Structures are given as C-alpha cells and as structure tokens.
C-alpha cells in the first residue's frame, strides 16, 4: 500500500515540472503583500509626520501668544481648543488633547521628569496635570499630546508607533517660552 502512494505523488510532481504555467502568479502572490505593506506603511508614516508637524506648528503659534500675554483668560480648555483649531487635526482633537505647562526653577534648572501625559479614552477619570502659566520672566515648558486614530488600523502595530491602550496613536509636541514682563 505504501508503494502505491509514492508513485501517485511522483506522477503529480512530474506533471508540475513539465507545466510551467502559473509561475509568475506564484511570484506575484509571494511578493505582492510585501510591497503593499511597504506602500501602506509609507502612507501611514507620512500622515503621522504631517499630523506631528501640524501639532508642533499650532503649539508654537499659541506659545507666541502666551509669551506676549495676549491670550487671556488662560485655561486648559481654551488653550486646547485654540491649538486644535490652528492644527487642523480634526473635530475629535479638542476632546483628545492634553496640555501640560510646567515652570522651570531658575535656582537649579531642574527639568520636569517623566513622560508626556496623554488622554486615556477608555478611562472615565481625567489625570491631574500641571497647568501653571507661571509668572513674569519665568521659563515654562509646555507639552501637548493628542491621541488620534491611525489612518490604517493595522500599521500602527507593525511600525512601532506610540500606541495607547485604547488603540489610538499618540502625537506629541513640546515647546518652551519665557513670560514677558
């Protein structure tokens, strides 16, 4: 019985060796997913970088107004809405942005430690952050973090983007300024 199985496979193998139709299809099936992944990954990274540049530009524009003292009254919500309007990141930005303003002591120039706090869309609790606009002639570091949905759902994991627990991608920006007298 074993002998009858091997000749069967031998005949099928001979038939495939003689017939070369479909060879290109096999190469296409093997190579196409790799090229599609590279293509979609380049689009995802481009969108991520464009969003990052838009957030940095909007933060810098609003830092200028903060530095000159033309933005008042200064609240976290007002600054977040203004940054989102200037960044053109979409309608979900005002609810997805988290801003942190931290004064730097001139006595020891100790910079804030720890990472940038981002919004957790799964949690009902909003983390407490420092939002201290400082006093005259004081150095302030401002961090912004916006959690947005990626353009393609699967590339965030393959590309190592900063993924939040809820599946969103964190876009961060930072700036510094000194309050004018």
């Amino acid at each position: 019985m074993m002998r009858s199985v091997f000749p069967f496979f031998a005949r099928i193998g001979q038939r495939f060796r003689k017939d070369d139709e479909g060879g290109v299809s096999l190469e296409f099936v093997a190579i196409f997913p790799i090229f599609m992944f590279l293509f979609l990954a380049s689009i995802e990274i481009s969108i991520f970088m464009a969003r990052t540049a838009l957030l940095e530009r909007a933060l810098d524009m609003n830092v200028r107004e903060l530095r000159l003292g033309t933005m008042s009254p200064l609240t976290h919500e007002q600054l977040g809405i203004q940054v989102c309007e200037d960044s053109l990141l979409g309608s979900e930005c005002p609810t997805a942005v988290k801003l942190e303003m931290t004064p730097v002591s001139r006595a020891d120039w100790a910079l804030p430690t720890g990472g940038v706090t981002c919004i957790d869309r799964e949690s009902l609790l909003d983390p407490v952050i420092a939002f201290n606009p400082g006093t005259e002639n004081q150095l302030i570091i401002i961090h912004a973090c916006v959690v947005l949905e990626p353009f393609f759902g699967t590339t965030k994991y393959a590309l190592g983007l900063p993924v939040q627990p809820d599946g969103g991608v964190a876009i961060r920006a930072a700036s510094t300024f000194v309050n004018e007298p």
Side-chain angles (χ1 to χ4, degrees), residues 15-27:
R15 195 170 8 161
F16 279 126
R17 271 187 258 137
K18 289 179 184 175
D19 188 11
D20 62 356
E21 291 180 13
V24 175
S25 298
L26 184 61
E27 292 173 3

Side-chain angles (χ1 to χ4, degrees), residues 64-128:
R64 182 177 186 279
E65 289 185 30
L66 287 172
R67 179 175 47 87
L68 297 175
T70 59
M71 185 182 288
S72 64
L74 178 63
T75 64
H76 181 272
E77 291 77 24
Q78 179 192 8
L79 184 58
I81 290 170
Q82 191 62 42
V83 167
C84 287
E85 285 177 2
D86 292 340
S87 68
L88 307 172
L89 287 177
S91 60
E92 71 267 7
C93 179
T95 59
V97 68
K98 185 64 93 174
L99 299 168
E100 183 174 358
M101 292 176 68
T102 310
V104 176
S105 170
R106 286 189 281 170
D108 58 359
W109 297 101
L111 297 175
T113 57
V116 178
T117 305
C118 292
I119 221 159
D120 185 3
R121 297 184 293 185
E122 290 182 338
S123 175
L124 298 175
L125 300 174
D126 198 15
V128 176

Side-chain angles (χ1 to χ4, degrees), residues 153-176:
T154 56
T155 55
K156 62 186 174 188
Y157 302 110
L159 296 176
L161 296 176
V163 179
Q164 296 300 107
D166 61 2
V169 177
I171 300 171
R172 296 177 173 94
S175 188
T176 60

Side-chain angles (χ1 to χ4, degrees), residues 3-16:
R3 291 180 182 220
S4 65
V5 173
F6 289 122
F8 172 72
F9 286 123
R11 279 194 309 266
I12 290 176
Q14 287 174 356
R15 195 170 8 161
F16 279 126

